[in-house]
Amino acid sequence: MSRRLIRILVVLSVLSIIGILLVQAIWLRNAYALRERQFRQSAFIALQEVANEVARQNQFTLKRYAVTQLSADYFIVNTDAPINPNSLEVLIDQSLQRHKLFTDYEYGIYDCETDQMMYGAYVSLSSSTHQSRNLPKFPRYTYYFGIRFPSQSGFIAGQLTGLFWSTGAVLLLVIFFGYTLVIVLKQRRLTEIQRDFINNITHELQTPVATIRIAADVLASDTISQQPARLNQYAQIVSQESQRLQRQIHAVLQLARSRRQGLTMALTHVDLHELMTVAAQRYAPHVRLDLQAPDAHIQTDRYHLETTLNNLIDNALKYCTEQPCVTLATRQDKTGLVWSVRDNGIGIAPAHQKAVFQQFFRVPSGRTQQASGFGLGLYYVRQVISAHGWHIRLVSTPGLGSTFSVYQQAPAGSRFFRLSV
């Protein structure tokens, strides 16, 4: 399946998910609005019946609607006659139950002598207690009571339980679908990485094998013994290529071992300045030293740290289009010892600076495609740094080189340490 088709499928899938969620949200909103209107209509009718019953008890008939809604959950009921506090709550309960409005409410009766909402109570269907609030007055009426439904939203939501469950099921399906899509894309990426790695390792292993085979054919000839200089040259070629082949095989085996068992650390006291000096001599004249730390003795695994330094230096020399210049530096700051490897190579674009620490990853542009390697060097560096509990920081500008700095402790607020595991 082509990448273009996969992108189209991903875009369509995302749009479909967004469409489903929008439709579900609109459906929920409309259903809630409908239930809210039904609640208000039922409340109107139930409270009108209460007003009619109060009027009947006072032996007159209301000639107009008695209910006025002041807010979403507060109603004023005009009675045009004094209200008996002892019977009002009973009338309200009976009327609300007839209309299946099983929810908490609080009410108050207006006292025209004191011009206040005086008598009232909070009626709860549960055993929990609530503190009643002051109910607002309504200046147009003389005899009336106010009633508030503080649990109106919960009552309406309770009627939409089935819809909420169906929405939850849809969201669950969407989450599963999204997770499946992520897994499929991740597996495809891993498959591409594995294919590129196999192609790369095949090429890398074939090169020294082919060179050794050619040199062996030359060494097997009858006339080579009569040419000592040429014999020595091809013997050196066999030695160099066999060492190169051994390093490549060792890198692959080391990766497999670290993934299966993790890195085995044999910690000892090591002088970092000594390691850097030896490395500079090995890669002379392309490596120089800038050792400013007063004390560079650290607790580390000497072999892994030495290999880490070599990997960073190898990359610096490999990805350079001019005369390589690599600087090994140490310094002391408030976090402790800081050591770094700085080069004047091609640099790394910001979009790839985090990915370069992933296994098998190689920057898909420029000289990176031409340089040899398996994409394991920086992954190994990251594993070693993490195993020590250190932190690594990469600062790089395309065309101006890169600097890999290792800290024993991460400075507070530094945004570069997301690279560490």
Side-chain angles (χ1 to χ4, degrees), residues 247 284 332:
R247 287 195 302 268
Q332 194 82 20

Side-chain angles (χ1 to χ4, degrees), residues 4 17 62 81 98 152 160 169 188-189 272 287 332 399 410 415:
R4 182 173 179 273
I17 291 174
L62 289 175
R98 280 197 302 271
Q152 173 182 322
L160 300 175
R188 174 179 171 80
R189 178 177 172 274
L272 180 60
V287 177
Q332 194 82 20
R415 66 183 181 88

Side-chain angles (χ1 to χ4, degrees), residues 117-307:
M117 301 291 289
M118 296 297 295
Y119 183 87
Y122 190 103
V123 181
S124 175
L125 300 182
S126 63
S127 58
S128 58
T129 58
H130 299 268
Q131 184 177 1
S132 299
R133 295 176 294 174
N134 293 328
L135 301 180
K137 299 180 296 182
F138 191 63
R140 288 174 50 187
Y141 301 144
T142 303
Y143 299 101
Y144 64 90
F145 67 90
I147 182 170
R148 185 194 303 277
F149 298 96
S151 303
Q152 173 182 322
S153 299
F155 175 77
I156 296 174
Q159 294 181 318
L160 300 175
T161 303
L163 189 57
F164 283 127
W165 278 108
S166 64
T167 301
V170 171
L171 288 177
L172 192 61
L173 289 174
V174 168
I175 292 173
F176 281 147
F177 176 77
Y179 178 74
T180 302
L181 184 61
V182 170
I183 293 297
V184 169
L185 294 177
K186 184 177 180 180
Q187 287 298 120
R188 174 179 171 80
R189 178 177 172 274
L190 291 177
T191 300
E192 292 178 348
I193 291 175
Q194 184 181 36
R195 185 184 64 244
D196 294 341
F197 173 70
I198 292 174
N199 293 336
N200 192 23
I201 194 174
T202 301
H203 172 74
E204 292 296 326
L205 294 178
Q206 281 181 344
T207 301
V209 169
T211 304
I212 292 174
R213 186 176 64 248
I214 294 173
D217 291 339
V218 174
L219 293 175
S221 64
D222 297 333
T223 59
I224 192 66
S225 59
Q226 302 173 6
Q227 306 175 45
R230 190 180 179 197
L231 176 63
N232 183 58
Q233 177 186 1
Y234 278 93
Q236 290 181 357
I237 291 176
V238 171
S239 176
Q240 293 171 358
E241 293 300 319
S242 62
Q243 291 177 7
R244 175 184 173 188
L245 182 61
Q246 185 179 19
R247 287 195 302 268
Q248 293 171 341
I249 295 175
H250 176 72
V252 177
L253 293 178
Q254 190 178 56
L255 170 66
R257 189 182 304 113
S258 65
R259 294 191 61 182
R260 184 176 63 254
Q261 303 175 351
L263 289 176
T264 302
M265 308 296 292
L267 299 180
T268 58
H269 289 284
V270 175
D271 185 354
L272 180 60
H273 285 173
E274 177 194 347
L275 281 184
M276 288 186 167
T277 302
V278 173
Q281 293 172 353
R282 181 185 302 117
Y283 292 96
H286 304 302
V287 177
R288 67 183 187 90
L289 299 173
D290 182 18
L291 309 178
Q292 299 182 14
D295 183 11
H297 289 84
I298 56 178
Q299 188 84 357
T300 182
D301 184 295
R302 185 183 184 92
Y303 168 76
H304 286 305
L305 182 59
E306 187 176 7
T307 307

Side-chain angles (χ1 to χ4, degrees), residues 319-392:
Y319 302 117
C320 186
T321 56
E322 53 188 41
Q323 183 69 19
C325 180
V326 181
T327 301
L328 305 182
T330 63
R331 59 184 174 87
Q332 194 82 20
D333 68 0
K334 59 183 180 180
T335 65
L337 176 66
V338 181
W339 59 272
S340 62
V341 178
R342 183 172 65 251
D343 63 62
N344 62 336
I346 61 176
I348 303 172
H352 300 132
Q353 288 183 11
K354 186 176 181 180
V356 294
F357 290 90
Q358 300 174 2
Q359 57 181 337
F360 308 134
F361 180 84
R362 307 182 72 203
V363 180
S365 62
R367 182 174 170 136
T368 307
Q369 294 295 337
Q370 303 171 3
S372 61
F374 300 144
L376 300 177
L378 291 180
Y379 173 74
Y380 173 80
V381 169
R382 177 179 178 175
Q383 295 294 96
V384 172
I385 298 302
S386 300
H388 282 85
W390 299 339
H391 305 269
I392 187 166

